[in-house]
Amino acid sequence: MRTVHGTCHHDCPDSCGWTVSVDDDQGVPVAIGLRGDPDHPYSAGELCPKVNRFIDRVYSPDRVLRPMRRVGAKGEGRFEPISWDDALAEIASRLHDVIERHGAEAVLPFSDAGNQSLLAYNGLSDRFFHHLGASRLVRAICGPTVGAGMAMTNGSKLGLDPLELRHSKLIILWATNTRLTNRHLWPTIEAARTDGARIVVIDPIRTATASAVDPARGDRFLQPLPGTDIALMLAMMHVLVRDDLVDHDWVRDHAAGFDGLADHVADWTPERAAAITGLDASDIAELARDYGTTRPAAIRCLVGSEHHENGGMFHRTLACLPALVGAWRDRGGGLARSVGSWQEQLMDDTAIGRPDLLAGRSPRWVNMSRLGEALTELDPPVHALVVWNSNPLVVVPNAEATRRGLERDDLFTVVHEQFLTDTARYADVVLPATTQIESDDIVLAWGHLWMGWNSAAIPPVGQAVSNTELFRRLARAMSLDEPSLFDDDETLMRAALPTVDIDALRRDGWWRVPYPEDGRPWGDGVFPTPSGRVELVNPRLLQLGQPALPTFVPPREGPGGDADLFARYPLQLLTPKHHTRFLNSSYSQLPKHGPAEGGPFVELDPTDAASRGLADGDLAAVWNDRARVEVPVRISERLRPGVVAIPFGWWMRHHPDGRVANSLTNDTLTDWGGGVAYSDTLVQVERARAASATSATSSTVASA
Ligand SMILES: Nc1nc2c(c(=O)[nH]1)N[C@H]1C(S)=C(S)[C@@H](COP(=O)(O)OP(=O)(O)OC[C@H]3O[C@@H](n4cnc5c(=O)[nH]c(N)nc54)[C@H](O)[C@@H]3O)O[C@H]1N2
Ligand SMILES: Nc1nc2c(c(=O)[nH]1)N[C@H]1C(S)=C(S)[C@@H](COP(=O)(O)OP(=O)(O)OC[C@H]3O[C@@H](n4cnc5c(=O)[nH]c(N)nc54)[C@H](O)[C@@H]3O)O[C@H]1N2
Ligand code: SF4
Ligand SMILES: [Mo]
């Protein structure tokens, strides 16, 4: 029996350390246990309800363990096993044929961070597709809009290490559900609370995190309408200026454009913001005063906040707040977002992605969030789609458009997967992928500063191959002769992280990346903007045709946007992460994960339910111009009137009518950063069937 150290690969901020117990006495090494590594400096021995049963995933009877060729219709899910040689020969000949007839841009790669480890995320894939000259994918579904918005103010994406919240006295959890999505940060927040810190949660949903708010301790919960936070921020600035809570010394020395901003927010009274956000003016003013008088004050956000048409501006505006109160002065003050940028600074993107392999060509960019449009409307059309590390049919907005694209007879689709996901069911060829315990890799965390080593605990199960091995095999099958397409994993790691001591990382299991020793990322007040200051006014935005000052533009698909649309679809739909046992769309299909979460539902406030004659358990139709989705009703006090929610993560087969939350969602891109506005979605809801008639449906869902 051996134990092997690894690091969780999921697209999750916690990047926990784990140990795998391996039994070597059964012919082939078998993983018999996986638990949190008690020595890991961040996760300290705890994993989560998703990964506590990771071994069930590795040895699931449903795992894809050999290549398969589709024999049924697209989406039907009927496949026959084939050999790797046959699969590769078929893919090579189809890709060559597409490239010959339509040009290399007719090939579209599609991937996300299903495995966010260094090699698995992008060890060889960019090299392979660059060498072909394939279309390039904009991977901005998660995070880049936050970074782009913050950089418009600070000139940098770098923020506070969330563990520094330990030193804060006021912690604003702004559009992030920490206890669900970032659970290993919660003990730090609790420790700060023990030392007297107060928390503020700002979320349109009374989430698990909001339920930790204790007004008796001076905590607050603010429940704005989705997409309106910028109005709240501008009113906070108004109060800071009006009540003279601005840190004038810091602003004089380290910010640019204060006078312009002060003028700009002069008419952003709490009353004006109250009318837009649905909050009480007095709550807005009190929050601003708390923020202006408590030190150190930290704001924590993650990714949910960017999923709006004005998601970039949300973060540009948010980044002005710490400047106004001089929060960056203090240890435990400032703005904490993803800390991936601290780790990525060490990456040599050119060495790994090899843009030189484009050889002067400049293939078109395709935004991943517009996959439906890319597959149905793009001209010249996409004729081959290669998917790995993602389940686009379930996770990309406007899913019915994606489905129409995947159904096309003249589209050749390859999916490299661990399971026959909804997306894989539309593939012509499905290839088996390894899990994290089957290959060595390095994990660059985005929720903390420890880079993690992952050792293969067992050899690949069945005929599964890692993502890098996939691209080596594809390159060989296509008779490509560019040597760098065949680099081995060790070479790739060293090329990607030239300044990191890979041997020490492998030996020690983790390594903390460089970060200012006094805990203050902008302690000297010098920012990498042209003026060297925080840009409350950013003149370069004018050249982009954007306002130089933080500005609230209501999302088109929302109460302050397109009035005709809002008249037809008067409810704002949110589709956030909701289940402790799911990680995006992963795990909902597994028997110890999915059924325990019940099934999909639409959550409504009692008044919205009553006005539609809806009772708990009724089957509701939720619809807009993109789709109509039928789901059971759950009436709850977590939402405010006018806002409804469907949890994200269930597959089509778990939904009573084979549609998913994302069938309804908005695929409009964000203002900056290439992200997408899932959370600016308007719908109408009505009763499809009464509760008594839906029991059959509910039990189907529960056993799915
Ligand atoms: N259990 C679990 N954990 C996860 C994941 C998972 O699927 N399951 N996914 C992981 C991934 S990929 C990511 S990116 C992170 C994301 O982590 P978070 O950013 O924390 O999660 P989200 O659910 O995307 O959004 C957080 C909150 O934003 C709120 N929100 C939406 N619109 C608005 C708005 O206009 N204003 C305000 N104030 N709030 C708004 C939503 O109601 C939601 O509660 O979580 C990671 N962790
Ligand atoms: N409505 C709504 N939609 C959302 C969100 C939301 O909050 N609401 N969140 C968005 C966000 S923030 C994100 S990050 C995306 C996440 O979207 P995805 O990254 O697509 O996430 P998953 O659904 O977990 O799918 C990952 C897939 O990768 C596979 N996989 C895992 N490891 C490997 C590997 O090593 N190799 C290969 N080939 N495959 C592997 C898994 O089996 C799984 O099917 O979803 C987005 N979609
Ligand atoms: S999914 Fe997140 S919380 Fe769970 S083990 Fe992985 S990194 Fe940790
Ligand atoms: Mo994400």
CSV table of all heavy atoms in Angstrom, one decimal, residues 324-363:
chain,number,residue,atom,x,y,z
A,324,LEU,N,-10.8,55.2,-2.7
A,324,LEU,CA,-11.4,56.4,-2.1
A,324,LEU,C,-11.2,56.4,-0.5
A,324,LEU,O,-11.0,57.4,0.1
A,324,LEU,CB,-12.9,56.5,-2.4
A,324,LEU,CG,-13.3,56.9,-3.8
A,324,LEU,CD1,-14.8,56.8,-4.0
A,324,LEU,CD2,-12.7,58.2,-4.2
A,325,VAL,N,-11.2,55.2,0.0
A,325,VAL,CA,-11.1,55.1,1.5
A,325,VAL,C,-9.6,54.7,1.9
A,325,VAL,O,-9.4,54.5,3.1
A,325,VAL,CB,-12.1,54.1,2.1
A,325,VAL,CG1,-13.5,54.5,1.8
A,325,VAL,CG2,-11.8,52.7,1.7
A,326,GLY,N,-8.7,54.7,0.9
A,326,GLY,CA,-7.3,54.3,1.2
A,326,GLY,C,-7.1,52.9,1.8
A,326,GLY,O,-6.2,52.7,2.6
A,327,ALA,N,-8.0,52.0,1.3
A,327,ALA,CA,-8.0,50.7,1.9
A,327,ALA,C,-6.7,49.9,1.7
A,327,ALA,O,-6.3,49.0,2.4
A,327,ALA,CB,-9.2,49.9,1.4
A,328,TRP,N,-6.0,50.2,0.5
A,328,TRP,CA,-4.8,49.5,0.2
A,328,TRP,C,-3.7,49.8,1.2
A,328,TRP,O,-2.7,49.1,1.2
A,328,TRP,CB,-4.4,49.8,-1.2
A,328,TRP,CG,-5.3,49.4,-2.3
A,328,TRP,CD1,-6.1,50.2,-3.1
A,328,TRP,CD2,-5.6,48.0,-2.8
A,328,TRP,NE1,-6.8,49.5,-4.0
A,328,TRP,CE2,-6.5,48.1,-3.8
A,328,TRP,CE3,-5.1,46.8,-2.4
A,328,TRP,CZ2,-7.0,47.0,-4.5
A,328,TRP,CZ3,-5.6,45.7,-3.0
A,328,TRP,CH2,-6.5,45.8,-4.1
A,329,ARG,N,-3.8,50.9,2.0
A,329,ARG,CA,-2.8,51.1,3.0
A,329,ARG,C,-2.7,50.0,4.0
A,329,ARG,O,-1.6,49.8,4.5
A,329,ARG,CB,-3.3,52.3,3.9
A,329,ARG,CG,-3.0,53.7,3.5
A,329,ARG,CD,-3.7,54.5,4.7
A,329,ARG,NE,-3.9,55.9,4.3
A,329,ARG,CZ,-3.0,56.8,4.2
A,329,ARG,NH1,-1.8,56.5,4.6
A,329,ARG,NH2,-3.3,58.0,3.8
A,330,ASP,N,-3.8,49.4,4.3
A,330,ASP,CA,-3.9,48.5,5.5
A,330,ASP,C,-3.6,47.1,5.1
A,330,ASP,O,-4.1,46.6,4.1
A,330,ASP,CB,-5.2,48.6,6.1
A,330,ASP,CG,-5.6,50.0,6.5
A,330,ASP,OD1,-4.7,50.8,6.9
A,330,ASP,OD2,-6.8,50.3,6.3
A,331,ARG,N,-2.9,46.3,5.9
A,331,ARG,CA,-2.9,44.9,5.8
A,331,ARG,C,-4.4,44.4,6.0
A,331,ARG,O,-5.0,44.8,7.0
A,331,ARG,CB,-2.0,44.3,6.9
A,331,ARG,CG,-2.0,42.8,6.8
A,331,ARG,CD,-0.7,42.2,7.2
A,331,ARG,NE,-0.6,40.9,6.6
A,331,ARG,CZ,0.3,40.0,6.9
A,331,ARG,NH1,1.2,40.3,7.8
A,331,ARG,NH2,0.3,38.8,6.3
A,332,GLY,N,-4.9,43.6,5.1
A,332,GLY,CA,-6.3,43.2,5.2
A,332,GLY,C,-7.3,44.1,4.6
A,332,GLY,O,-8.5,43.9,4.7
A,333,GLY,N,-6.8,45.1,3.9
A,333,GLY,CA,-7.6,46.1,3.2
A,333,GLY,C,-7.5,45.9,1.7
A,333,GLY,O,-6.4,45.6,1.2
A,334,GLY,N,-8.5,46.3,0.9
A,334,GLY,CA,-8.4,46.3,-0.6
A,334,GLY,C,-9.4,45.4,-1.2
A,334,GLY,O,-10.5,45.3,-0.7
A,335,LEU,N,-9.1,44.8,-2.3
A,335,LEU,CA,-10.0,44.1,-3.1
A,335,LEU,C,-9.4,42.7,-3.5
A,335,LEU,O,-8.3,42.6,-4.0
A,335,LEU,CB,-10.3,44.9,-4.4
A,335,LEU,CG,-11.2,44.4,-5.5
A,335,LEU,CD1,-12.6,44.0,-4.9
A,335,LEU,CD2,-11.4,45.5,-6.5
A,336,ALA,N,-10.1,41.7,-3.1
A,336,ALA,CA,-9.7,40.3,-3.3
A,336,ALA,C,-10.5,39.6,-4.4
A,336,ALA,O,-11.7,39.5,-4.2
A,336,ALA,CB,-9.7,39.5,-2.0
A,337,ARG,N,-9.9,39.3,-5.5
A,337,ARG,CA,-10.6,38.5,-6.5
A,337,ARG,C,-9.8,37.3,-6.7
A,337,ARG,O,-9.1,36.8,-5.8
A,337,ARG,CB,-10.7,39.4,-7.8
A,337,ARG,CG,-9.4,39.9,-8.4
A,337,ARG,CD,-9.5,40.4,-9.8
A,337,ARG,NE,-9.9,39.4,-10.7
A,337,ARG,CZ,-9.0,38.9,-11.6
A,337,ARG,NH1,-7.8,39.2,-11.7
A,337,ARG,NH2,-9.4,37.9,-12.5
A,338,SER,N,-9.9,36.7,-7.9
A,338,SER,CA,-9.0,35.5,-8.2
A,338,SER,C,-7.6,35.9,-8.1
A,338,SER,O,-7.2,37.0,-8.5
A,338,SER,CB,-9.3,35.1,-9.7
A,338,SER,OG,-8.1,34.5,-10.2
A,339,VAL,N,-6.8,35.1,-7.4
A,339,VAL,CA,-5.3,35.4,-7.4
A,339,VAL,C,-4.6,34.6,-8.4
A,339,VAL,O,-3.3,34.4,-8.4
A,339,VAL,CB,-4.7,35.1,-6.0
A,339,VAL,CG1,-5.1,36.2,-5.0
A,339,VAL,CG2,-5.1,33.8,-5.4
A,340,GLY,N,-5.3,34.0,-9.4
A,340,GLY,CA,-4.6,33.3,-10.5
A,340,GLY,C,-3.5,34.1,-11.2
A,340,GLY,O,-2.5,33.6,-11.6
A,341,SER,N,-3.7,35.5,-11.2
A,341,SER,CA,-2.7,36.3,-11.9
A,341,SER,C,-1.4,36.3,-11.2
A,341,SER,O,-0.4,36.4,-11.9
A,341,SER,CB,-3.2,37.7,-12.0
A,341,SER,OG,-4.6,37.8,-12.3
A,342,TRP,N,-1.4,36.1,-9.9
A,342,TRP,CA,-0.1,36.0,-9.2
A,342,TRP,C,0.7,34.8,-9.6
A,342,TRP,O,1.9,34.8,-9.7
A,342,TRP,CB,-0.3,36.0,-7.7
A,342,TRP,CG,-0.8,37.2,-7.1
A,342,TRP,CD1,-2.1,37.5,-6.7
A,342,TRP,CD2,0.0,38.4,-6.7
A,342,TRP,NE1,-2.1,38.8,-6.2
A,342,TRP,CE2,-0.9,39.4,-6.2
A,342,TRP,CE3,1.3,38.7,-6.8
A,342,TRP,CZ2,-0.5,40.6,-5.8
A,342,TRP,CZ3,1.8,40.0,-6.4
A,342,TRP,CH2,0.9,40.9,-5.9
A,343,GLN,N,-0.1,33.7,-9.9
A,343,GLN,CA,0.6,32.5,-10.4
A,343,GLN,C,0.9,32.5,-11.9
A,343,GLN,O,2.0,32.1,-12.3
A,343,GLN,CB,-0.3,31.3,-10.1
A,343,GLN,CG,-0.9,31.2,-8.7
A,343,GLN,CD,-0.7,29.8,-8.1
A,343,GLN,OE1,-0.2,28.9,-8.6
A,343,GLN,NE2,-1.3,29.7,-6.9
A,344,GLU,N,0.0,33.1,-12.6
A,344,GLU,CA,0.2,33.1,-14.1
A,344,GLU,C,1.4,34.0,-14.5
A,344,GLU,O,1.9,33.9,-15.6
A,344,GLU,CB,-1.1,33.6,-14.8
A,344,GLU,CG,-2.2,32.5,-14.8
A,344,GLU,CD,-3.6,33.1,-14.9
A,344,GLU,OE1,-3.7,34.3,-15.2
A,344,GLU,OE2,-4.5,32.4,-14.5
A,345,GLN,N,1.7,35.0,-13.6
A,345,GLN,CA,2.9,35.8,-13.9
A,345,GLN,C,4.2,35.0,-14.1
A,345,GLN,O,5.1,35.4,-14.8
A,345,GLN,CB,3.2,36.7,-12.7
A,345,GLN,CG,2.2,37.8,-12.5
A,345,GLN,CD,2.7,38.8,-11.4
A,345,GLN,OE1,2.8,39.9,-11.6
A,345,GLN,NE2,3.0,38.3,-10.2
A,346,LEU,N,4.1,33.8,-13.6
A,346,LEU,CA,5.3,32.9,-13.7
A,346,LEU,C,5.3,32.1,-15.0
A,346,LEU,O,6.2,31.3,-15.3
A,346,LEU,CB,5.4,32.0,-12.5
A,346,LEU,CG,5.4,32.7,-11.1
A,346,LEU,CD1,5.2,31.7,-10.0
A,346,LEU,CD2,6.7,33.5,-10.9
A,347,MET,N,4.2,32.1,-15.7
A,347,MET,CA,4.0,31.3,-16.9
A,347,MET,C,4.6,32.0,-18.1
A,347,MET,O,4.4,33.2,-18.3
A,347,MET,CB,2.5,31.2,-17.2
A,347,MET,CG,1.7,30.1,-16.5
A,347,MET,SD,1.8,28.5,-17.3
A,347,MET,CE,0.8,28.8,-18.7
A,348,ASP,N,5.3,31.2,-18.9
A,348,ASP,CA,5.8,31.7,-20.2
A,348,ASP,C,4.8,31.2,-21.2
A,348,ASP,O,4.9,30.1,-21.8
A,348,ASP,CB,7.2,31.1,-20.5
A,348,ASP,CG,7.8,31.7,-21.7
A,348,ASP,OD1,7.0,32.2,-22.6
A,348,ASP,OD2,9.0,31.6,-21.9
A,349,ASP,N,3.8,32.1,-21.5
A,349,ASP,CA,2.7,31.7,-22.4
A,349,ASP,C,3.2,31.4,-23.8
A,349,ASP,O,2.6,30.6,-24.6
A,349,ASP,CB,1.6,32.8,-22.5
A,349,ASP,CG,0.8,32.9,-21.2
A,349,ASP,OD1,0.6,31.8,-20.6
A,349,ASP,OD2,0.5,34.0,-20.7
A,350,THR,N,4.2,32.2,-24.2
A,350,THR,CA,4.7,32.0,-25.6
A,350,THR,C,5.4,30.7,-25.8
A,350,THR,O,5.2,30.0,-26.8
A,350,THR,CB,5.7,33.2,-25.9
A,350,THR,OG1,5.1,34.4,-25.5
A,350,THR,CG2,6.1,33.2,-27.3
A,351,ALA,N,6.1,30.3,-24.7
A,351,ALA,CA,6.8,29.0,-24.9
A,351,ALA,C,5.8,27.8,-24.9
A,351,ALA,O,6.1,26.9,-25.6
A,351,ALA,CB,7.8,28.8,-23.7
A,352,ILE,N,4.7,28.0,-24.2
A,352,ILE,CA,3.8,26.9,-24.1
A,352,ILE,C,2.8,26.9,-25.3
A,352,ILE,O,2.6,25.9,-26.0
A,352,ILE,CB,3.1,26.8,-22.8
A,352,ILE,CG1,2.5,25.4,-22.6
A,352,ILE,CG2,2.1,27.9,-22.6
A,352,ILE,CD1,3.4,24.4,-22.1
A,353,GLY,N,2.3,28.1,-25.6
A,353,GLY,CA,1.3,28.2,-26.7
A,353,GLY,C,1.9,28.3,-28.1
A,353,GLY,O,1.2,28.1,-29.1
A,354,ARG,N,3.1,28.8,-28.2
A,354,ARG,CA,3.9,28.8,-29.5
A,354,ARG,C,3.1,29.5,-30.6
A,354,ARG,O,2.8,29.0,-31.6
A,354,ARG,CB,4.3,27.4,-29.9
A,354,ARG,CG,5.3,26.8,-29.0
A,354,ARG,CD,6.7,27.4,-29.1
A,354,ARG,NE,7.2,27.4,-30.5
A,354,ARG,CZ,7.9,26.4,-31.0
A,354,ARG,NH1,8.2,25.3,-30.3
A,354,ARG,NH2,8.3,26.4,-32.3
A,355,PRO,N,2.8,30.8,-30.4
A,355,PRO,CA,2.1,31.6,-31.4
A,355,PRO,C,2.9,31.6,-32.8
A,355,PRO,O,2.3,31.8,-33.8
A,355,PRO,CB,1.9,33.0,-30.9
A,355,PRO,CG,2.8,33.1,-29.6
A,355,PRO,CD,3.0,31.7,-29.2
A,356,ASP,N,4.2,31.3,-32.7
A,356,ASP,CA,5.0,31.3,-33.9
A,356,ASP,C,4.5,30.2,-34.9
A,356,ASP,O,4.8,30.3,-36.1
A,356,ASP,CB,6.5,31.1,-33.6
A,356,ASP,CG,6.8,29.9,-32.8
A,356,ASP,OD1,6.2,29.7,-31.7
A,356,ASP,OD2,7.5,29.0,-33.3
A,357,LEU,N,3.9,29.2,-34.3
A,357,LEU,CA,3.4,28.1,-35.2
A,357,LEU,C,2.3,28.5,-36.1
A,357,LEU,O,1.9,27.8,-37.0
A,357,LEU,CB,3.0,26.9,-34.3
A,357,LEU,CG,4.1,26.2,-33.5
A,357,LEU,CD1,3.6,25.1,-32.7
A,357,LEU,CD2,5.2,25.7,-34.4
A,358,LEU,N,1.7,29.7,-35.8
A,358,LEU,CA,0.7,30.3,-36.7
A,358,LEU,C,1.4,30.6,-38.1
A,358,LEU,O,0.7,30.8,-39.1
A,358,LEU,CB,0.1,31.5,-36.1
A,358,LEU,CG,-0.9,31.3,-35.0
A,358,LEU,CD1,-1.2,32.6,-34.3
A,358,LEU,CD2,-2.2,30.6,-35.5
A,359,ALA,N,2.7,30.8,-38.0
A,359,ALA,CA,3.5,31.0,-39.3
A,359,ALA,C,2.9,32.2,-40.1
A,359,ALA,O,2.7,32.1,-41.3
A,359,ALA,CB,3.6,29.8,-40.1
A,360,GLY,N,2.6,33.3,-39.4
A,360,GLY,CA,2.1,34.5,-40.1
A,360,GLY,C,0.6,34.5,-40.4
A,360,GLY,O,0.1,35.5,-40.8
A,361,ARG,N,0.0,33.4,-40.2
A,361,ARG,CA,-1.5,33.4,-40.4
A,361,ARG,C,-2.2,34.0,-39.2
A,361,ARG,O,-1.6,34.1,-38.1
A,361,ARG,CB,-2.0,31.9,-40.6
A,361,ARG,CG,-1.4,31.2,-41.8
A,361,ARG,CD,-1.6,29.7,-41.7
A,361,ARG,NE,-0.9,29.1,-40.6
A,361,ARG,CZ,-0.9,27.9,-40.3
A,361,ARG,NH1,-1.6,27.0,-41.0
A,361,ARG,NH2,-0.2,27.4,-39.2
A,362,SER,N,-3.4,34.5,-39.4
A,362,SER,CA,-4.1,35.1,-38.3
A,362,SER,C,-5.6,34.6,-38.4
A,362,SER,O,-6.5,35.3,-38.7
A,362,SER,CB,-4.1,36.6,-38.5
A,362,SER,OG,-4.6,37.2,-37.3
A,363,PRO,N,-5.7,33.3,-37.9
A,363,PRO,CA,-7.1,32.7,-38.0
A,363,PRO,C,-8.1,33.5,-37.2
A,363,PRO,O,-7.7,34.1,-36.2
A,363,PRO,CB,-6.9,31.3,-37.5
A,363,PRO,CG,-5.4,31.1,-37.3
A,363,PRO,CD,-4.7,32.4,-37.3
